[in-house]
Amino acid sequence: MALTLLAGPANAGKVALLLERYLATLAREPFLIVPNRSDVDRVERELLASCGALLGGEIGTFDDLFRRLARDGGEHRPVATDAQRALIVRRALRRARLNGWTRSARFAGFADALSSALGELESGLVEPGELEGDLAGLYGEYRAELDRLGLWDRDLQRSAAAERLAGELGAWEGRPVFAYGFEDLTGAQWALLEALAGRAEVTVSLPYEPGRPAFASLERTAADLSELARPRIEELPPRPEVRPPALAHLERSLFSLAGRDPNTRSVEIDGALRFFEGAGRRGTLERVAEELLALIRGGTPPEEIALVCPRVERYRAPLETALGSLRVPYAIESRIRFDQTEFGRALLSLLRFDWQGGGRGLLYGFLRSPYSGIARASVDWIEGRLRGRAVETGERTEEETMRLRDGHPLPPLELLRKAQTPLAALSDLSRFMLRAAHGLESPPVGEESRRDLRAFEALTRLVDELEGWLALGGSLTPDEIVSALERTTVRAAGPGDASGRVDVVDLLRARTRRYEIVFVLGLEEGTLPRRGETSPFLDEETARELDSRLRRSRLAKPDPVARDRYLFYTACTRATRRLYLVREAANDEGGPREPSPFWDEVRGLFSEDDVRRTTTRRPLSALTWPVEQAPTDRERLRSLASLIPVDKEAARSLAQANGWERQLDRALTAFERPTRLTHPLVLEELRAKTNFGVTELETFADCSSIWFVDRVVGPRTIDQVVDPRLRGQVAHSALHKFFAGVPKRLGVEKLGPDQLDDALEFVGECLAAAMTGVRMELTDLQRRELEQGLLRDLEAFVRDETASELQLVPRRFEVSFGSERSPQELQRGLDLDTFTLSGKIDRIDLDPFSARGIVQDYKSGKTAHSAAQIESELKLQIPLYMLVLRDLVGIEPLGGIYRALSGKRDARGLLRAEAKEDGIPGFSRNDYLDEEAFWGQVERAEDLARGFVGRIRAGDVAHDPKGGDCPPWCELWRMCRVSRA
């Protein structure tokens, strides 16, 4: 018995010859080892297609063979599952002495990294006693924990299988063994092959040619297999005739010195090789999707096309967007995390809410899903009420949800809490979720249902594993169950899901496949070759030292660049008809990205003119396809619209020929945003309006579009937040309570320095009372921040008040006019002939000896407007309040001031100069105006108000912000009727 090595370059027929010999020995029940579980079904289909029936033999992976050998041995132990192994590692960590790793061990990633390192050591047949330092202690504690539980892990099972095969004559009955698709053999795999070679005929296929840089990472494997196989080594010659000349030339010359010789560049590409350059990942993949659609429409079966990615996970989301938008059928062959499925995301949201004290977002993340069994409209209505009051904590969320549901509890939460154990709760909840989403009347069908069923299958398997852990005497906390769910993976596609779909695979899976068309993605610097990953517990130096000392461990990994060089070579040789190389020439922001050295290697194999002709570039500015190349009706319409600025007549002709006139007209009018209101019912309502708020007109003065959106459309944010508006409301309420209560509490009408201490104490009490009126549910931090910030500002305001030279007395507060809630004498509002004005004055200070007074308007910010600013910035409140004071309240106005409550707390406004020494001293001299200027400014404000009302009644809305530019504080741009560029 011996090992036979079939070696040669890609496409030399090694695997075909190996499968032919496998079929020739079916009577002897041969065993065929393939790289992955998904390859088992594929190879079976290929063999059935060639021979019609398989009446013998077995196809499996290395793990299938390890499992069989270990199971048939006398000392077989149960094998810990992945979930159980993670719990064992964490238990070992709790018992081990961590020394300098104590702080790092608190993080979940520490246990995962340790688990990976222990797996590498076991696969290399390394025992704890053969190590030194802290890692030896952790490894020993882990193995001791396995012994206490009477378990193996998968790597120990592999080790036991290899030892049994090496030590028992009856462990293998002489069946021939065939293997392919393995380049980096672990210590356990090598020990198994070595033992099999002594018991049976073993045939191994290895892609390798001596001296070629593309195979540099395989030199150790090739040398070891050659030593074991000698003299039974069959070197198969290259077969350039099985590929187009350009692809054959690429296979023979890639990464070789001969490939750089200008004399070898005479091979024409002739359509077998194409280069795609795009800007941004999405733009690049959209170009790929366009080509995929053209290939499929041209007759290429989707399953004969592959997209090869350096790492599938990094391309999953943009691929879903690019391929999904053009409806390109595809299947991603990989596993995804449980929480990346809709089913898993909803389940974990509810578990984190109930078991880990989560807040409103987690509960309603579950309730909004189709798995909750509650109507979405009802959920949205209740959540809107909670968000409007800023209810965040879990306890308050559940309490208020039940109240708004008329006391009815939430069935999923009840189910979760009534179960006897957390695992029983998990099983009950998962079944409830499936019933709620898919019902019981008909079997679930469609891709979404299959995804849910695969997630449910993974969950059920995990629950069984965790119940097995409890049966072993282990313990489980809800947090550990959640962590186990987060680590669980789900099949992204079923075994038959790839039929009729483009195959999306990584470099490792691609190396054993064949396709007509292959796209290799990620050919930019930093993406391919990939950056090497090292273990924090088992670095390369330690691995090499163990290999040199133990010989059997095979822990040292090949150079990552050499490894990626080989994987890129195999990816390029998978295509039988055409190869596409794809790179991002720029990132999403337009910054240039350097090409991968692999990209340059391939382009250097062909003439520059040929490469230039076969290169397609899509810049970041290419937002649409050319009309003749647009892959879908939607993209054709977008291309047509973009043609208008270039050739309007051609665009109109194309639209007319294809019946797209209406769509084109709509697209063109989308760029023209008429702002004037024209609907008869809207205009009728505006013309009939007779009462206008002063602040409403001031908003119109800021920008009529802001007025339209804010006052007519009236959008409101669903989430209540602590913003300047809330701060101002609390400050106004506190000051109202303070000044209204000063006479009773302090026994004076006008504050002075003698009342400062008592006034500071009283304003704190008024602020506390105002805070109780906040309906929004604040966290302790939010409440303290709001209250302490306001207290600081209000105390400073009171200090200014006690030091003020103003002899006027605060008498009237929150004076409302022009509304039904106003005092009877003020309900009619300020009459300006064709309309009336309404509003609310924060405070009126009166002369105790005459009917004179001033208006004070609080500003919660730092800005107080001077007389000149009131004029230039079209501020209407203070000027119009002068008319209200004179014509409605019956008080002679001496002026009005804005009082900033924070910052420097300026007091600026519009004041009559004749009262500067008699009533209102101490303000900025620029704010005092003579009688003509004072009343002239008031009259101009009145004229502005009349003009604004006229525009409102006529529907004259425009994009007319003061100064010409939108103010930075405006948040209404999403709804504003601004002309689009």
Side-chain angles (χ1 to χ4, degrees):
M1 303 300 178
L3 183 140
T4 300
L5 176 62
L6 304 178
N11 306 323
K14 302 180 299 301
V15 176
L17 178 60
L18 181 138
L19 294 179
E20 182 182 327
R21 293 182 181 180
Y22 171 81
L23 291 175
T25 60
L26 283 181
R28 298 169 59 192
E29 294 293 330
F31 194 101
L32 174 61
I33 304 175
V34 296
N36 305 299
R37 171 56 51 189
S38 58
D39 292 318
V40 174
D41 296 330
R42 183 179 57 80
V43 171
E44 283 181 349
R45 288 193 296 269
E46 290 179 4
L47 292 175
L48 286 171
S50 63
C51 67
L54 292 175
L55 302 179
E58 186 177 352
I59 303 174
T61 63
F62 256 122
D63 277 342
D64 293 329
L65 189 53
F66 279 127
R67 193 179 302 113
R68 174 176 177 172
L69 288 167
R71 185 180 62 240
D72 294 342
E75 298 182 359
H76 179 259
R77 292 183 182 183
V79 178
T81 64
D82 290 340
Q84 292 169 351
R85 187 171 183 269
L87 291 168
I88 293 170
V89 170
R90 281 160 174 76
R91 180 186 283 188
L93 279 173
R94 288 194 292 269
R95 294 185 176 182
R97 297 178 60 185
L98 298 175
N99 297 328
W101 287 339
T102 303
R103 294 180 63 184
S104 300
R106 294 179 299 172
F107 300 97
F110 183 89
D112 295 336
L114 176 61
S115 178
S116 177
L118 296 180
E120 287 188 53
L121 291 171
E122 288 182 324
S123 67
L125 307 179
V126 179
E127 294 298 320
E130 296 171 328
L131 295 173
E132 297 176 353
D134 295 334
L135 182 58
L138 291 173
Y139 190 12
E141 191 62 50
Y142 168 72
R143 291 286 287 270
E145 192 63 39
L146 284 173
D147 291 339
R148 278 192 290 269
L149 296 169
L151 296 177
W152 282 338
D153 60 16
R154 281 198 182 90
D155 292 301
L156 278 179
Q157 183 186 52
R158 294 164 185 156
S159 176
E163 289 178 6
R164 176 172 179 256
L165 188 60
E168 293 184 21
L169 290 175
W172 191 254
E173 55 273 23
R175 296 167 57 187
V177 177
F178 299 85
Y180 79 94
F182 302 96
E183 296 87 20
D184 299 326
L185 294 170
T186 66
Q189 291 171 341
W190 176 256
L192 183 70
L193 274 183
E194 197 173 26
L196 283 171
R199 306 290 182 84
E201 295 176 5
V202 178
T203 304
V204 176
S205 167
L206 181 71
Y208 185 75
E209 274 187 300
R212 286 193 61 180
F215 300 104
S217 64
L218 278 63
E219 286 181 356
R220 178 183 177 183
T221 302
D224 291 345
L225 286 173
S226 298
E227 185 67 27
L228 188 61
R230 189 170 287 113
R232 301 175 55 144
I233 301 174
E234 300 180 32
E235 296 188 27
L236 278 63
R239 295 192 303 165
E241 69 276 4
V242 301
R243 293 290 187 272
L247 296 184
H249 173 62
L250 172 63
E251 187 279 319
R252 298 310 303 153
S253 305
L254 187 60
F255 301 121
S256 67
L257 293 175
R260 300 187 182 96
D261 187 349
N263 298 323
T264 65
R265 298 183 182 181
S266 58
V267 178
E268 294 185 0
I269 292 178
D270 195 23
L273 181 62
R274 295 188 65 182
F275 302 91
F276 281 178
E277 293 182 325
R281 180 156 295 181
R282 178 172 176 175
T284 304
L285 293 180
E286 284 179 347
R287 181 67 188 87
V288 171
E290 172 199 352
E291 188 72 11
L292 288 172
L293 205 59
L295 288 168
I296 294 171
R297 288 173 175 173
T300 304
E303 62 270 20
E304 286 295 329
I305 305 174
L307 298 183
V308 182
C309 312
R311 289 185 174 88
V312 170
E313 278 306 308
R314 295 187 179 181
Y315 282 83
R316 184 184 298 275
L319 276 174
E320 289 174 353
T321 301
L323 302 186
S325 63
L326 297 186
R327 299 181 180 178
V328 175
Y330 68 97
I332 298 179
E333 189 174 325
S334 66
R335 298 186 70 85
I336 59 175
R337 296 195 316 271
F338 183 72
D339 59 2
Q340 288 180 310
T341 66
E342 291 187 23
F343 182 89
R345 194 159 42 244
L347 176 68
L348 281 167
S349 292
L350 188 62
L351 296 183
R352 288 165 180 155
F353 172 81
D354 192 53
W355 289 355
Q356 298 181 330
R360 188 203 69 233
L362 289 172
L363 177 61
Y364 277 84
F366 171 80
L367 294 179
R368 281 194 304 273
S369 73
Y371 312 102
S372 68
I374 302 175
R376 178 63 184 267
S378 173
V379 173
D380 288 345
W381 183 83
I382 296 173
E383 187 181 17
R385 299 307 181 273
L386 300 186
R387 290 174 68 173
R389 292 175 50 199
V391 176
E392 289 288 346
T393 62
E395 183 178 351
R396 290 287 297 136
T397 295
E398 187 175 353
E399 178 185 327
E400 288 299 307
T401 299
M402 289 181 60
R403 184 182 66 80
L404 292 170
R405 282 171 49 85
D406 298 326
H408 297 299
L410 294 169
L413 277 178
E414 290 292 296
L415 193 68
L416 198 58
R417 292 166 180 172
K418 286 181 179 179
Q420 293 182 349
T421 66
L423 290 180
L426 200 56
S427 298
D428 294 344
L429 179 60
S430 62
R431 286 192 288 270
F432 170 88
M433 290 171 61
L434 276 186
R435 288 195 299 269
H438 303 289
L440 299 174
E441 297 179 358
S442 60
V445 293
E447 183 58 30
E448 291 184 3
S449 302
R450 286 196 290 270
R451 282 197 294 264
D452 287 349
L453 290 174
R454 287 195 290 266
F456 178 77
E457 176 189 11
L459 173 64
T460 303
R461 187 167 56 249
L462 175 65
V463 170
D464 291 341
E465 294 175 7
L466 296 180
E467 286 177 345
W469 170 254
L470 293 176
L472 291 169
S475 60
L476 273 177
T477 65
D479 286 346
E480 288 175 328
I481 295 176
V482 171
S483 296
L485 281 169
E486 292 170 341
R487 290 190 300 271
T488 298
T489 59
V490 180
R491 287 183 297 113
D497 290 349
S499 178
R501 300 167 185 256
V502 174
D503 210 3
V504 181
V505 295
D506 59 21
L507 288 165
L508 204 59
R509 290 180 183 272
R511 73 193 195 284
T512 59
R513 310 290 177 87
R514 288 284 187 275
Y515 302 94
E516 287 186 30
I517 309 292
V518 172
F519 291 77
V520 181
L521 310 180
L523 288 171
E524 54 274 345
E525 189 174 357
T527 304
L528 195 70
R530 297 167 292 185
R531 296 180 176 88
E533 298 178 357
T534 58
S535 168
F537 296 97
L538 190 63
D539 56 33
E540 285 301 308
E541 184 179 349
T542 304
R544 284 193 294 270
E545 188 273 329
L546 287 171
D547 280 356
S548 63
R549 180 158 52 90
L550 303 178
R551 299 291 180 185
R552 66 179 184 274
S553 62
R554 306 180 72 86
L555 292 173
K557 298 180 176 61
D559 176 68
V561 174
R563 176 66 171 159
D564 278 347
R565 191 183 294 123
Y566 164 71
L567 292 176
F568 176 68
Y569 162 84
T570 58
C572 290
T573 57
R574 299 306 89 197
T576 61
R577 193 175 105 206
R578 184 181 300 161
L579 172 68
Y580 292 82
L581 300 183
V582 184
R583 83 174 185 98
E584 298 172 33
N587 57 29
D588 291 319
E589 289 74 37
R593 296 197 65 178
E594 293 297 320
S596 164
F598 297 169
W599 169 276
D600 293 331
E601 284 278 353
V602 176
R603 291 168 70 90
L605 300 177
F606 303 93
S607 70
E608 293 183 5
D609 290 341
D610 218 3
V611 168
R612 190 180 304 109
R613 284 192 297 270
T614 55
T615 299
T616 302
R617 293 182 174 88
R618 183 175 183 180
L620 198 61
S621 59
L623 302 179
T624 61
W625 278 280
V627 177
E628 67 277 6
Q629 298 179 14
T632 64
D633 285 343
R634 180 177 181 274
E635 293 300 333
R636 277 189 283 275
L637 287 169
R638 293 182 69 234
S639 302
L640 187 66
S642 67
L643 184 62
I644 284 287
V646 180
D647 192 341
K648 189 172 184 177
E649 291 185 6
R652 287 288 184 188
S653 299
L654 281 171
Q656 186 175 5
N658 291 278
W660 295 336
E661 297 99 328
R662 180 172 173 271
Q663 291 94 323
L664 182 61
D665 288 339
R666 289 184 61 188
L668 291 176
T669 55
F671 289 86
E672 301 170 3
R673 306 288 290 180
T675 57
R676 192 178 187 92
L677 306 182
T678 58
H679 197 284
L681 293 178
V682 175
L683 292 176
E684 181 181 351
E685 182 176 341
L686 292 176
R687 282 194 292 266
K689 186 174 181 179
T690 59
N691 185 271
F692 295 85
V694 175
T695 55
E696 176 185 3
L697 296 182
E698 200 167 272
T699 301
F700 193 92
D702 288 335
C703 177
S704 57
S705 287
I706 293 179
W707 168 85
F708 169 73
V709 175
D710 191 40
R711 300 288 177 158
V712 179
V713 180
R716 294 292 181 267
T717 57
I718 191 172
D719 288 309
Q720 179 73 282
V721 295
V722 180
D723 57 5
R725 179 174 296 182
L726 175 64
R727 194 175 186 277
Q729 290 172 351
V730 176
H732 278 66
S733 175
L735 288 174
H736 180 201
K737 296 176 186 296
F738 175 74
F739 284 109
V742 162
K744 182 177 180 180
R745 175 65 178 268
L746 304 182
V748 297
E749 288 190 326
K750 177 71 175 66
L751 291 174
D754 295 340
Q755 290 83 38
L756 177 59
D757 292 339
D758 293 336
L760 292 177
E761 180 182 353
F762 184 43
V763 78
E765 295 174 7
C766 293
L767 176 60
M771 289 290 296
T772 61
V774 177
R775 296 184 65 244
M776 173 181 168
E777 296 203 9
L778 305 173
T779 65
D780 290 341
L781 178 61
Q782 288 175 325
R783 181 172 294 276
R784 286 198 300 270
E785 185 179 12
L786 177 61
E787 191 167 6
Q788 293 301 317
L790 284 174
L791 182 60
R792 181 189 64 244
D793 290 341
L794 294 182
E795 285 183 346
F797 182 86
V798 170
R799 293 179 189 275
D800 291 344
E801 192 74 21
T802 58
S804 173
E805 302 176 19
L806 195 64
Q807 295 304 309
L808 303 183
V809 177
R811 284 283 174 82
R812 301 186 66 171
F813 314 100
E814 304 290 332
V815 180
S816 173
F817 60 93
S819 70
E820 295 180 355
R821 290 178 294 180
S822 304
Q824 187 172 0
E825 69 276 13
L826 302 180
Q827 286 184 1
R828 68 181 187 276
L830 180 64
D831 189 356
L832 294 182
D833 300 332
T834 60
F835 63 93
T836 59
L837 290 179
S838 60
K840 182 182 287 186
I841 300 174
D842 291 338
R843 169 179 154 191
I844 300 176
D845 290 6
L846 299 178
D847 187 337
F849 305 108
S850 64
R852 302 187 306 166
I854 66 168
V855 167
Q856 295 208 31
D857 190 75
Y858 304 135
K859 295 297 180 185
S860 58
K862 302 178 180 180
T863 304
H865 301 285
S866 65
Q869 289 172 328
I870 291 173
E871 179 90 21
S872 63
E873 297 185 18
L874 306 182
K875 298 297 179 183
L876 301 180
Q877 281 182 302
I878 291 299
L880 293 179
Y881 286 168
M882 298 300 96
L883 298 177
V884 173
L885 218 60
R886 184 189 68 184
D887 300 339
L888 273 182
V889 182
I891 294 173
E892 180 186 357
L894 300 180
I897 57 173
Y898 292 112
R899 295 286 301 272
L901 299 182
S902 60
K904 296 181 179 180
R905 298 179 304 282
D906 291 333
R908 303 294 301 272
L910 182 64
L911 302 166
R912 294 170 65 180
E914 68 174 23
K916 180 177 181 180
E917 302 299 333
D918 181 22
I920 50 172
F923 295 101
S924 174
R925 62 184 179 87
N926 293 329
D927 292 339
Y928 292 101
L929 303 181
D930 60 34
E931 289 299 292
E932 183 179 355
F934 180 87
W935 290 110
Q937 189 162 333
V938 171
E939 289 175 5
R940 287 190 294 275
E942 182 180 350
D943 291 340
L944 280 173
R946 294 179 191 275
F948 292 151
V949 169
R951 286 184 58 188
I952 289 173
R953 286 174 168 173
D956 184 12
V957 173
H959 179 240
D960 52 358
K962 285 185 303 190
D965 296 321
C966 292
W969 46 263
C970 180
E971 298 178 351
L972 303 178
W973 57 270
R974 295 176 181 86
M975 302 180 67
C976 183
R977 301 163 77 88
V978 179
S979 298
R980 294 182 179 177

